[in-house]
Amino acid sequence: MEFKRTAIVDVLLIQPTIFGDDRGYFFESFHQQKFNEFIGAEINFVQDNESKSAKGVLRGLHFQAPPHAQGKLVRVVQGSVLDVALDIRKNSPTYGQHVSFVLSAENKMQAYIPAGFAHGFVTLEKDTIFQYKCTNWYNPSSEGSILWNDPALTIQWQEMNPILSDKDKLGILLADFNSPFE
Ligand SMILES: Cc1cn([C@H]2C[C@H](O)[C@@H](COP(=O)(O)OP(=O)(O)O[C@H]3O[C@H](C)C(=O)[C@H](O)[C@H]3O)O2)c(=O)[nH]c1=O
């Protein structure tokens, strides 16, 4: 299991070690001790989520405000996504900047997106199944959405006309956003 930092150092990519044989493959999809040792803190996940989406679905850019903020360990078990983490920590030198990466059933790569980031993805294949662990429970009243195609973000989604929930059609522009994250 290999951990590496992205251009926004708190967002991590994790490449599991895949053990293949004539039966198929095996890999450890999560290891608390290895994860905490790399992070240098006790990170506990309390909720697992799964969503399935058609091709061209965009979910995001979502966050939960403190004290309900969520760190997310995300992966794709069928299909593929372009995943995006947007830094919304107002005192961060990378505030308003994002990192993006392709996560897929094929590459088996995972990403850890800490609290303080808005998260979203667009699916690149049909029937894409997205699974993730969260460090806090769902709290809908604390949810917020940054508008996925806010020109100020310059996110290259690869999909110009995605399938969106009504909520995601009404995301906030970064310029109008008063971040609750320090
Ligand atoms: C997130 C969540 C949703 N729900 C219910 C609420 C709705 O009835 C239904 C769909 O919710 P929503 O449209 O918010 O689902 P997504 O658009 O996939 O939201 C997620 O999308 C992006 C990618 C994220 O990073 C967040 O984890 C999350 O906001 O599931 C729950 O019961 N528990 C939950 O934890």
Side-chain angles (χ1 to χ4, degrees), residues 47-51 53 58-64 70 72 74 83 118-121 130 132 134 136-140 143-145 165 167-168:
Q47 181 178 316
D48 280 8
N49 294 338
E50 178 173 313
S51 64
S53 306
L58 193 150
R59 297 174 185 256
L61 292 155
H62 302 160
F63 64 91
Q64 290 190 172
Q70 295 172 311
K72 297 164 191 168
V74 303
D83 200 80
H119 173 248
F121 63 84
F130 191 85
Y132 53 113
C134 302
N136 215 336
W137 291 274
Y138 178 53
N139 183 279
E143 275 194 312
S145 294
S165 65
K167 173 178 76 174
D168 290 348

Side-chain angles (χ1 to χ4, degrees), residues 32-95:
Q32 184 82 59
Q33 184 182 21
K34 291 174 182 174
F35 189 83
N36 287 351
E37 280 178 359
F38 186 84
I39 296 252
E42 281 290 323
I43 305 289
N44 295 306
F45 296 100
V46 297
Q47 181 178 316
D48 280 8
N49 294 338
E50 178 173 313
S51 64
K52 180 177 176 181
S53 306
K55 181 176 179 179
V57 165
L58 193 150
R59 297 174 185 256
L61 292 155
H62 302 160
F63 64 91
Q64 290 190 172
H68 308 287
Q70 295 172 311
K72 297 164 191 168
L73 179 59
V74 303
R75 69 188 182 121
V76 171
V77 296
Q78 182 172 289
S80 56
V81 306
L82 179 72
D83 200 80
V84 173
L86 171 69
D87 191 350
I88 52 173
R89 300 167 299 180
K90 54 190 167 190
N91 298 321
S92 167
T94 52
Y95 178 79

